Amino acid sequence: MIKAGIIGATGYAGSELVRILTSHPEAEITYLGSHSYAGKKYSDIYPFFYGICDMVLSEDSVEKAAEECDVLFLALPHGIASSHVNENVLSKCFVIDLGADYRLHDADVYEAWYKTEHMSKGLLEKAVYGLPELHRDEIKKTRLVANPGCYTTCSILTLYPLVKNGLIDNDTIVIDAKSGTSGAGRSEKTANLFCEVNESIKAYSVAGHRHTPEIEQELSLAAGSDIVLDFTPHLVPMQRGILSTCYAKLKDGVSEEDVSRAYHTAYDGEAFIRLASYLPETRFVRNTNRVDIAWKINRRTGRITALGAIDNLVKGAAGQAVQNMNILFGLAETAGLEAAGGV
Amino acid sequence: MIKAGIIGATGYAGSELVRILTSHPEAEITYLGSHSYAGKKYSDIYPFFYGICDMVLSEDSVEKAAEECDVLFLALPHGIASSHVNENVLSKCFVIDLGADYRLHDADVYEAWYKTEHMSKGLLEKAVYGLPELHRDEIKKTRLVANPGCYTTCSILTLYPLVKNGLIDNDTIVIDAKSGTSGAGRSEKTANLFCEVNESIKAYSVAGHRHTPEIEQELSLAAGSDIVLDFTPHLVPMQRGILSTCYAKLKDGVSEEDVSRAYHTAYDGEAFIRLASYLPETRFVRNTNRVDIAWKINRRTGRITALGAIDNLVKGAAGQAVQNMNILFGLAETAGLEAAGGV
Amino acid sequence: MIKAGIIGATGYAGSELVRILTSHPEAEITYLGSHSYAGKKYSDIYPFFYGICDMVLSEDSVEKAAEECDVLFLALPHGIASSHVNENVLSKCFVIDLGADYRLHDADVYEAWYKTEHMSKGLLEKAVYGLPELHRDEIKKTRLVANPGCYTTCSILTLYPLVKNGLIDNDTIVIDAKSGTSGAGRSEKTANLFCEVNESIKAYSVAGHRHTPEIEQELSLAAGSDIVLDFTPHLVPMQRGILSTCYAKLKDGVSEEDVSRAYHTAYDGEAFIRLASYLPETRFVRNTNRVDIAWKINRRTGRITALGAIDNLVKGAAGQAVQNMNILFGLAETAGLEAAGGV
Amino acid sequence: MIKAGIIGATGYAGSELVRILTSHPEAEITYLGSHSYAGKKYSDIYPFFYGICDMVLSEDSVEKAAEECDVLFLALPHGIASSHVNENVLSKCFVIDLGADYRLHDADVYEAWYKTEHMSKGLLEKAVYGLPELHRDEIKKTRLVANPGCYTTCSILTLYPLVKNGLIDNDTIVIDAKSGTSGAGRSEKTANLFCEVNESIKAYSVAGHRHTPEIEQELSLAAGSDIVLDFTPHLVPMQRGILSTCYAKLKDGVSEEDVSRAYHTAYDGEAFIRLASYLPETRFVRNTNRVDIAWKINRRTGRITALGAIDNLVKGAAGQAVQNMNILFGLAETAGLEAAGGV
């Protein structure tokens, strides 16, 4: 059994890792670290896990956890992971960082968007951006996986085939994304209270959300040229789910068939991606690691609308992290991630 | 007191008209017509109104109602109003049609999008598109008001100052709109059930929603040239509210000040429009006739994101209809529409 | 115009007072006090009120506010009001306390349930329990109104006619109450986050909720003998509304007619109480000061189930407070409180 | 592999059976029957299952399905199952009926509450009430399992130890139950629309719900004497979950220890029952087959409040059905039912 540890285990992404790992056929949890709740039983924080994971939380020490684990999942606010991961840690265990610290290859871009110094720039070139559908082969060879953001996973996968195959005008990309509230985390802010979120929808971080450079990095790599785009996140009164509605001008002469071929070439054979005959609804992928993608061409305007849906806590965080673990350890990518969702 | 009738009183828009009119200082309801519930007490259909509006529903006859009313609100499926409104009816009362039949000036466009023949084309040039902020003077002179759609009200008002003042490239307009579920009406469809809507978000009618030509008509008029655009509606698990997130490329050299001036010139003095220092959230306008509008310029991409929020049942339907009634009868536009919303 | 002040204006009950008072025909807000937000504009805290109430918040001083107001609404945590209200304050203005400090006539009971010393016991006998349907005449004569709690308003009104007329066995009363989340206030607690409340229901404070002695006090007064009962509150994933489902054994020989007569005798003529032919649903009274009450006798078990529904922020807090203000100033009780709710 | 068929596969309980069975290590679905959708792909009805269960729906013939299956799950409206199950069917496969037809041992009681004739009275004595925690040994020996109702599972399990051990006065039992909306099924009724359910709570079927005799039957059996009780269901604006809040007078002299011992004796060792240190919240058992139970004694009133929570679609329907299948086939009871829930 793979010995797995989680640092930052009491956030929502951490709890989702616990949910998935406790059902994983080849892994067991051996370390749960928490800054605020060390010493408490995990099931006292999340009674979901009463009788399932009653382990006592340890301190949130990356160094200590590395001694006891084969793989370490970090679910920490940005800036923390990069202060604690180092060569010594990586020599002892694989690290899958669910935070932002190792996602951007360029430390300057990181520091510009996150307004903080990067504390382990030297590791950036060792880190691999953990989107298996794009970087599976590199993931196999690394010890440090930068697990993608939730909005970015959904948006990149939805647009990648179009960009990769040069089917759209890259200057015209607009991503309008909608997320469930678990994406805002478990912090005690007025804005996250039930009565402030329920029965309302809003945009936030317009023209300034930190997932923007991450999407741009990956799509630019796919395009082979720099892309800047508009990304607007919205908060939806639901718990889980992201829907990315992506708009771009199709290049002249691009046909339905060209688009369909691009998506099928990119994703046929992918275990978690469904090129859907229906329009994606976040509920269809809720509690699963699946991605539903569909598109529609508007001949009146010459634009394509591509839609992708994921569960932000699964494919957008914990599920993808486990998918990466599966790759690192040579397991089937779907191990522990096969269950269907439902009503 | 103005004698007001409602045909199609038992849909959600009809019920909202009842809510507003029962508090209106200068109007009283004298006719409630229903196809399905004639003979029943209104408060048996909507117990909200028990003790407030216990009137018995009459048949849904435009002709009969016209005899008993000074103004008639029609809240009917498309195609019905245009079969029943005629010169005789208009000679007896004002008609405010909340449906789509008189909104599009061009009958061919109507027939192309609605796939049905228009039954009173002769009235189209007498009808006025009832968006007071754009057409107040014409509304004052008509007897037939085509009350705008919910998505269209929100989207047009959000984009109008940009288009009117030539600040954006009109070929680049993308409208990503999100609506509460009351917009789907009260019909008994599986897709409208609680368990199908709750905890999910989806796009629908991608590249084909019937509010598209209505938005295009009004923005084209403002621009003085034909505009086609992408409009994508989404269903949000909440009851009321529309948020339109509108994207367009700013023309070269357009400054923050140009944009701000355009909005203030268009809307300063408007009773219901708030140019907001905050990003709009639908809850801030819930249960009110207000429109919250804000915008953000992204200098990295050269695009503007303009956001507008309304309550789809109020400014998007019944409230705007009453605003139009107020104009027709020379009342203050805010009569009966002043109450604040809240948590 | 009545000059009204609110201390603790930035909680949900305070915001609801602002919503109601800004539409009130005979009152205007002249003082808004806040502990945390003094110096800020009210509409910056609650953008609902942008353009409607942009007043700057003052410090939360009862003494200062008393100088500038005819009536003062206190929406404060328990223990605070009783430290600041005194004869001097009452000589200058009416005080309507939405908190718990003056609701229990017996200071010992208060101190036992609230675990804190009562700081102005001398005022307890001057205070009147502000449930107009039971104590209208005494309210007219006081300067200090103890506005009832939300659960208590709903539960007392639902059971009062049965107890008053001796129709039930008072030892068998069980109240199972369900509340929307605004009742938990605006405090930043994990338990109030959207993702902790949504898609779940729970009981809390079982056998120990502080509204229990308040319900017992009023029902005991009605019965003329001491009543103890079980009261269990539940948290429902909705914003507003309380439903009290009340159970008791009917006394032998009590008929349907006896019960019906008791309710009608108690409440016919009451502006806000509707003895409903339908089963109460909280939505039917949402945003209004109304109370819907119905009952059902189960001949198999000999028990009656009586159900009451209110909006916890209106009849359960701010609306009832304004109703009390109307009584104190000799206005129609319904002034500012007539609007219907809706979908 | 066990060959499993589902008749009535397109209702919510049916879809939950598909969710569970597609992950079950020892079962495979070989027949899906539907009255309304025969000939369609299952994943076209429920896109959740796209790529997971794309089987084409067959007609809803019990007889045909029996030929192709080892076990048949019936998820049909009452009255249908009893017309189609017969000795011939039972000779070919096990039948687990999720409907009401075989739950009540007394056909007269069935006919009184369901207002319809029972079509296979002869099978009633062969049927076993499929609540494994109470009737495990009998289930092992039958071929016809009457899977309990959702409210009943939750309410019986919550009260059983108290009744079995004679700790409460059986005349004083009141059950106040709250259910998510999936319990209302997928039928297209106005009352089930999002805008009618959302933001509201209501009681329904007061003093007359059909789960009442089922609860009474099982508790009477446990008590060894006839019990009648009040059972009041409520509809909660959430998808899944039932909370039963149960009240009864403790007998004189019953101690905390007596109560605790009764629960532990009844349930220690049960895989799915958690005697919780926290108060049950339906989210803690969502998507799982678990039951959370807790209780509180109120010494002021002499009453106990016992609380139980389940997921109505899992332990209240499909999960319990699979638990019964596991018992019938000699598998571990938890097979396919072990996964934890989560945020």
Side-chain angles (χ1 to χ4, degrees):
Chain A
M1 295 292 271
I2 301 165
K3 288 183 283 180
I6 307 169
I7 306 295
T10 56
Y12 290 141
S15 79
E16 191 69 1
L17 278 165
V18 172
R19 180 176 82 87
I20 295 171
L21 290 172
T22 51
S23 294
H24 196 286
E26 308 281 347
E28 62 181 337
I29 298 174
T30 54
Y31 194 101
L32 290 176
S34 164
H35 179 65
S36 318
Y37 299 104
K40 297 211 169 171
K41 268 173 56 180
Y42 195 69
S43 52
D44 284 343
I45 312 302
Y46 284 106
F48 301 96
F49 300 108
Y50 188 72
I52 299 160
C53 179
D54 297 309
M55 187 179 266
V56 173
L57 286 153
S58 304
E59 56 178 309
D60 60 341
S61 162
V62 173
E63 291 75 9
K64 271 189 67 170
E67 305 285 343
E68 306 179 24
C69 299
D70 302 315
V71 60
L72 210 46
F73 296 94
L74 309 183
L76 297 164
H78 70 266
I80 314 277
S82 59
S83 307
H84 291 285
V85 178
N86 53 42
E87 296 288 359
N88 183 40
V89 165
L90 292 175
S91 74
K92 291 180 180 145
C93 67
F94 292 101
V95 170
I96 300 174
D97 180 19
L98 282 78
D101 285 7
Y102 299 105
R103 292 180 194 155
L104 297 171
H105 304 324
D106 184 336
D108 291 344
V109 175
Y110 176 88
E111 295 181 347
W113 284 84
Y114 287 87
K115 318 278 182 214
T116 187
E117 196 187 346
H118 195 289
M119 302 306 287
S120 52
K121 295 192 181 82
L123 292 177
L124 282 178
E125 65 175 23
K126 304 203 169 187
V128 171
Y129 191 76
L131 195 54
E133 290 77 7
L134 272 62
H135 302 296
R136 185 171 284 117
D137 291 338
E138 301 145 79
I139 295 167
K140 286 177 183 161
K141 298 177 207 145
T142 191
R143 295 188 67 82
L144 175 53
V145 175
N147 209 59
C150 51
Y151 282 124
T152 56
T153 294
C154 191
S155 304
I156 294 167
L157 290 175
T158 304
L159 283 166
Y160 172 76
L162 301 175
V163 170
K164 180 72 181 175
N165 292 279
L167 303 182
I168 57 173
D169 177 351
N170 293 335
D171 287 345
T172 64
I173 299 174
V174 166
I175 302 170
D176 188 290
K178 298 91 178 165
S179 174
T181 305
S182 59
R186 213 189 188 205
S187 49
E188 294 169 342
K189 294 180 190 155
T190 300
N192 293 346
L193 295 178
F194 182 84
C195 289
E196 311 284 322
V197 171
N198 188 41
E199 289 297 295
S200 194
I201 184 167
K202 68 171 178 185
Y204 62 100
S205 302
V206 177
H209 194 276
R210 285 161 170 173
H211 283 183
T212 311
E214 201 178 321
I215 302 170
E216 290 177 347
Q217 166 182 290
E218 293 300 309
L219 293 184
S220 295
L221 277 170
S225 64
D226 280 0
I227 292 180
V228 291
L229 50 77
D230 270 286
F231 167 72
T232 310
H234 296 74
L235 189 72
V236 180
M238 62 183 188
Q239 220 124 315
R240 291 162 173 257
I242 285 180
L243 181 71
S244 289
T245 313
C246 307
Y247 304 90
K249 205 93 181 175
L250 278 183
K251 283 191 187 156
D252 282 349
V254 172
S255 68
E256 286 277 1
E257 291 67 37
D258 296 333
V259 171
S260 179
R261 196 180 320 117
Y263 276 102
H264 281 283
T265 303
Y267 296 138
D268 281 353
E270 284 295 341
F272 294 116
I273 297 189
R274 305 193 291 198
L275 300 179
S277 52
Y278 47 88
L279 288 177
E281 310 190 15
T282 58
R283 63 186 175 130
F284 295 148
V285 296
R286 190 173 49 212
N287 296 326
T288 84
N289 203 49
R290 294 184 180 82
V291 187
D292 276 0
I293 296 176
W295 60 89
K296 209 104 188 180
I297 295 172
N298 186 347
R299 286 293 166 202
R300 296 175 67 250
T301 64
R303 256 180 234 109
I304 186 168
T305 304
L307 300 124
I310 63 168
D311 182 318
N312 59 304
L313 289 181
V314 191
K315 183 63 178 173
Q320 183 146 269
V322 170
Q323 186 181 359
N324 279 314
M325 179 192 82
N326 289 341
I327 294 174
L328 292 173
F329 288 85
L331 306 176
E333 246 171 79
T334 55
L337 296 168
E338 286 166 318
V343 171
Chain B
M1 296 291 271
I2 301 165
K3 288 183 281 178
I6 307 171
I7 306 294
T10 56
Y12 290 142
S15 79
E16 191 69 1
L17 278 165
V18 172
R19 181 178 80 88
I20 295 171
L21 289 172
T22 50
S23 293
H24 196 287
E26 308 281 346
E28 62 182 336
I29 298 174
T30 53
Y31 195 101
L32 290 176
S34 163
H35 178 65
S36 318
Y37 298 104
K40 297 209 168 172
K41 268 174 57 182
Y42 195 69
S43 52
D44 285 342
I45 312 301
Y46 283 107
F48 302 95
F49 300 108
Y50 188 71
I52 299 160
C53 178
D54 297 310
M55 187 180 266
V56 173
L57 286 153
S58 304
E59 55 178 309
D60 61 340
S61 160
V62 172
E63 290 73 12
K64 271 189 68 170
E67 305 284 342
E68 306 179 22
C69 300
D70 301 316
V71 60
L72 209 46
F73 296 94
L74 309 183
L76 297 165
H78 71 265
I80 313 277
S82 58
S83 307
H84 290 285
V85 178
N86 53 43
E87 294 290 358
N88 182 40
V89 165
L90 292 175
S91 73
K92 290 179 179 146
C93 68
F94 291 100
V95 170
I96 300 174
D97 179 21
L98 282 78
D101 285 7
Y102 300 104
R103 292 180 193 155
L104 297 172
H105 303 325
D106 184 335
D108 292 343
V109 174
Y110 176 87
E111 295 181 348
W113 285 83
Y114 287 87
K115 319 276 184 217
T116 187
E117 195 187 347
H118 196 289
M119 302 305 288
S120 51
K121 295 192 181 86
L123 292 177
L124 282 178
E125 66 174 22
K126 303 203 167 184
V128 171
Y129 191 74
L131 195 53
E133 290 78 7
L134 271 64
H135 302 296
R136 185 171 284 117
D137 291 338
E138 300 145 80
I139 295 166
K140 285 177 185 163
K141 296 178 209 147
T142 191
R143 296 189 66 82
L144 175 54
V145 175
N147 208 60
C150 51
Y151 281 124
T152 54
T153 295
C154 190
S155 303
I156 295 167
L157 290 174
T158 304
L159 283 167
Y160 171 77
L162 301 175
V163 170
K164 179 73 182 175
N165 292 279
L167 302 182
I168 56 174
D169 177 350
N170 293 335
D171 286 345
T172 65
I173 299 174
V174 166
I175 303 171
D176 188 291
K178 297 92 178 165
S179 175
T181 305
S182 59
R186 213 189 187 202
S187 48
E188 295 169 342
K189 294 180 190 156
T190 299
N192 293 347
L193 295 178
F194 182 84
C195 288
E196 311 286 319
V197 171
N198 189 41
E199 289 297 295
S200 195
I201 183 167
K202 67 172 178 183
Y204 61 100
S205 302
V206 177
H209 194 277
R210 287 163 170 171
H211 283 183
T212 310
E214 201 179 321
I215 302 171
E216 289 177 348
Q217 167 183 292
E218 292 300 309
L219 293 183
S220 295
L221 277 171
S225 62
D226 279 0
I227 292 180
V228 291
L229 50 78
D230 270 288
F231 166 72
T232 310
H234 295 75
L235 189 73
V236 180
M238 61 183 190
Q239 220 124 315
R240 289 162 175 257
I242 285 180
L243 182 71
S244 289
T245 312
C246 306
Y247 303 91
K249 206 94 181 175
L250 277 183
K251 284 193 185 152
D252 282 349
V254 171
S255 68
E256 286 277 2
E257 292 68 37
D258 296 333
V259 172
S260 179
R261 196 180 320 116
Y263 276 102
H264 282 283
T265 303
Y267 296 138
D268 281 355
E270 283 296 340
F272 293 115
I273 297 189
R274 307 192 292 197
L275 301 178
S277 52
Y278 47 89
L279 288 176
E281 310 190 14
T282 57
R283 63 184 175 132
F284 295 149
V285 295
R286 190 173 48 215
N287 296 327
T288 84
N289 204 49
R290 292 183 181 82
V291 187
D292 276 1
I293 296 176
W295 60 89
K296 209 104 187 178
I297 294 171
N298 185 347
R299 285 295 166 201
R300 296 174 67 251
T301 63
R303 254 180 236 110
I304 187 168
T305 304
L307 301 122
I310 64 167
D311 182 318
N312 59 303
L313 289 181
V314 191
K315 184 64 178 173
Q320 183 146 269
V322 171
Q323 185 181 356
N324 279 314
M325 178 192 82
N326 290 342
I327 293 173
L328 293 173
F329 287 85
L331 306 176
E333 247 172 76
T334 55
L337 296 168
E338 285 165 320
V343 171
Chain C
M1 296 291 271
I2 300 164
K3 288 183 283 177
I6 307 169
I7 306 295
T10 57
Y12 290 142
S15 79
E16 191 69 0
L17 278 165
V18 172
R19 179 176 83 87
I20 295 171
L21 290 171
T22 51
S23 293
H24 196 285
E26 308 282 346
E28 62 181 335
I29 298 174
T30 54
Y31 195 100
L32 291 175
S34 164
H35 179 65
S36 318
Y37 298 105
K40 297 210 170 173
K41 269 172 57 179
Y42 195 70
S43 52
D44 285 344
I45 311 302
Y46 284 107
F48 301 95
F49 300 109
Y50 188 71
I52 299 160
C53 179
D54 298 310
M55 187 180 266
V56 173
L57 286 152
S58 304
E59 54 178 309
D60 61 340
S61 161
V62 172
E63 291 75 9
K64 270 189 68 170
E67 304 284 343
E68 306 179 23
C69 300
D70 302 316
V71 61
L72 210 47
F73 297 94
L74 309 183
L76 297 164
H78 71 265
I80 313 277
S82 59
S83 307
H84 291 285
V85 178
N86 53 43
E87 295 289 359
N88 183 40
V89 164
L90 292 175
S91 74
K92 289 179 180 147
C93 66
F94 292 101
V95 170
I96 300 173
D97 180 19
L98 282 77
D101 286 7
Y102 299 104
R103 292 180 193 155
L104 297 171
H105 303 324
D106 184 335
D108 292 343
V109 175
Y110 176 88
E111 295 181 349
W113 285 84
Y114 288 87
K115 319 276 183 214
T116 187
E117 195 187 348
H118 196 289
M119 302 306 287
S120 51
K121 296 191 181 84
L123 292 177
L124 282 177
E125 63 175 23
K126 305 202 167 186
V128 171
Y129 191 74
L131 194 53
E133 290 77 8
L134 272 63
H135 302 297
R136 185 171 283 119
D137 291 338
E138 301 144 80
I139 295 166
K140 284 178 183 162
K141 297 178 208 146
T142 191
R143 294 189 67 83
L144 174 54
V145 175
N147 209 60
C150 50
Y151 281 124
T152 54
T153 295
C154 190
S155 304
I156 295 167
L157 291 174
T158 304
L159 284 166
Y160 171 76
L162 301 175
V163 170
K164 180 72 181 174
N165 293 280
L167 303 181
I168 56 174
D169 176 349
N170 293 335
D171 286 345
T172 65
I173 299 174
V174 166
I175 303 171
D176 188 292
K178 298 92 177 165
S179 173
T181 306
S182 59
R186 212 189 187 202
S187 49
E188 295 170 342
K189 294 180 190 155
T190 299
N192 293 346
L193 295 178
F194 182 85
C195 289
E196 311 286 320
V197 171
N198 189 41
E199 290 297 295
S200 195
I201 184 166
K202 67 171 178 185
Y204 62 100
S205 302
V206 177
H209 193 277
R210 287 163 170 171
H211 283 182
T212 311
E214 201 179 321
I215 302 170
E216 290 177 347
Q217 166 183 290
E218 292 300 310
L219 293 184
S220 296
L221 276 172
S225 63
D226 280 359
I227 293 180
V228 291
L229 49 79
D230 269 288
F231 166 72
T232 310
H234 296 75
L235 189 72
V236 180
M238 62 182 189
Q239 220 124 316
R240 291 162 174 257
I242 285 180
L243 181 71
S244 290
T245 313
C246 306
Y247 303 90
K249 206 92 180 175
L250 278 183
K251 285 194 186 152
D252 282 349
V254 171
S255 68
E256 286 277 1
E257 293 65 39
D258 295 332
V259 172
S260 179
R261 195 180 321 115
Y263 277 102
H264 282 283
T265 303
Y267 295 139
D268 281 353
E270 284 296 341
F272 294 115
I273 297 189
R274 305 192 293 198
L275 301 178
S277 51
Y278 46 89
L279 288 177
E281 311 190 14
T282 57
R283 62 184 176 132
F284 295 149
V285 296
R286 190 172 49 212
N287 296 326
T288 83
N289 203 50
R290 293 182 181 82
V291 187
D292 276 0
I293 296 176
W295 60 89
K296 209 105 188 177
I297 295 172
N298 186 347
R299 286 293 165 202
R300 296 175 66 248
T301 64
R303 256 179 235 109
I304 186 168
T305 304
L307 301 122
I310 64 167
D311 182 318
N312 59 304
L313 290 181
V314 190
K315 183 63 177 172
Q320 184 147 267
V322 170
Q323 185 181 358
N324 279 314
M325 178 191 83
N326 290 341
I327 294 173
L328 292 173
F329 287 85
L331 307 176
E333 248 173 75
T334 56
L337 296 168
E338 287 165 318
V343 171
Chain D
M1 297 290 272
I2 301 165
K3 288 183 282 179
I6 306 169
I7 305 294
T10 55
Y12 290 141
S15 78
E16 191 68 2
L17 278 165
V18 172
R19 180 177 82 86
I20 294 171
L21 289 172
T22 51
S23 293
H24 197 285
E26 308 282 346
E28 62 182 336
I29 298 174
T30 53
Y31 195 100
L32 290 176
S34 164
H35 178 66
S36 318
Y37 298 104
K40 297 211 170 172
K41 270 173 56 181
Y42 195 69
S43 52
D44 285 342
I45 311 301
Y46 283 107
F48 301 95
F49 300 108
Y50 189 70
I52 299 159
C53 180
D54 297 309
M55 187 179 266
V56 173
L57 286 153
S58 304
E59 54 178 310
D60 61 341
S61 161
V62 173
E63 290 76 10
K64 271 188 68 169
E67 305 283 344
E68 308 179 21
C69 299
D70 301 316
V71 60
L72 210 47
F73 296 95
L74 310 183
L76 297 165
H78 70 265
I80 313 277
S82 59
S83 308
H84 291 285
V85 178
N86 52 44
E87 294 290 357
N88 182 40
V89 165
L90 291 174
S91 73
K92 291 180 179 146
C93 67
F94 293 101
V95 170
I96 300 174
D97 180 20
L98 282 78
D101 286 6
Y102 300 104
R103 292 180 194 155
L104 297 171
H105 304 325
D106 185 335
D108 292 343
V109 175
Y110 176 87
E111 295 181 348
W113 284 84
Y114 287 87
K115 318 275 182 215
T116 187
E117 194 188 348
H118 195 291
M119 303 305 288
S120 52
K121 295 193 181 83
L123 293 176
L124 282 178
E125 64 175 22
K126 305 203 168 186
V128 171
Y129 191 74
L131 195 54
E133 290 78 8
L134 271 62
H135 302 297
R136 184 172 285 117
D137 291 337
E138 300 145 80
I139 295 167
K140 285 177 185 163
K141 298 178 209 145
T142 191
R143 295 189 66 82
L144 174 54
V145 175
N147 209 59
C150 51
Y151 281 124
T152 55
T153 294
C154 191
S155 303
I156 295 167
L157 290 175
T158 304
L159 284 166
Y160 171 77
L162 300 175
V163 170
K164 179 74 182 172
N165 293 279
L167 304 181
I168 56 174
D169 177 350
N170 293 335
D171 286 345
T172 66
I173 299 175
V174 166
I175 303 171
D176 188 290
K178 298 91 178 166
S179 174
T181 306
S182 59
R186 212 189 188 203
S187 48
E188 296 170 341
K189 294 181 189 154
T190 299
N192 293 347
L193 295 178
F194 182 85
C195 288
E196 310 286 321
V197 171
N198 190 42
E199 290 297 292
S200 195
I201 184 167
K202 66 171 179 185
Y204 62 99
S205 301
V206 177
H209 193 276
R210 288 163 170 172
H211 283 183
T212 309
E214 200 179 321
I215 302 171
E216 290 177 347
Q217 167 183 290
E218 292 300 310
L219 293 183
S220 296
L221 277 171
S225 63
D226 280 358
I227 293 181
V228 291
L229 49 78
D230 270 287
F231 167 71
T232 311
H234 296 75
L235 188 73
V236 181
M238 61 183 189
Q239 219 123 317
R240 289 163 174 260
I242 285 179
L243 182 71
S244 290
T245 312
C246 307
Y247 304 90
K249 206 94 180 174
L250 278 182
K251 284 192 184 152
D252 282 350
V254 172
S255 69
E256 286 277 1
E257 293 66 38
D258 296 332
V259 171
S260 180
R261 195 179 322 116
Y263 277 102
H264 282 284
T265 303
Y267 296 138
D268 281 353
E270 284 296 339
F272 294 115
I273 297 190
R274 307 192 292 198
L275 300 178
S277 52
Y278 46 87
L279 288 177
E281 310 189 14
T282 57
R283 61 185 178 131
F284 294 149
V285 295
R286 190 174 47 213
N287 296 326
T288 84
N289 203 49
R290 294 182 179 82
V291 187
D292 277 0
I293 296 176
W295 61 89
K296 209 106 190 176
I297 295 171
N298 186 347
R299 286 292 166 203
R300 297 175 67 250
T301 64
R303 255 179 235 109
I304 187 167
T305 305
L307 300 122
I310 64 166
D311 182 319
N312 58 304
L313 290 181
V314 191
K315 183 64 177 172
Q320 184 146 270
V322 170
Q323 185 181 357
N324 279 315
M325 179 191 82
N326 290 341
I327 293 173
L328 292 174
F329 288 85
L331 306 176
E333 246 173 76
T334 55
L337 296 168
E338 286 165 319
V343 170

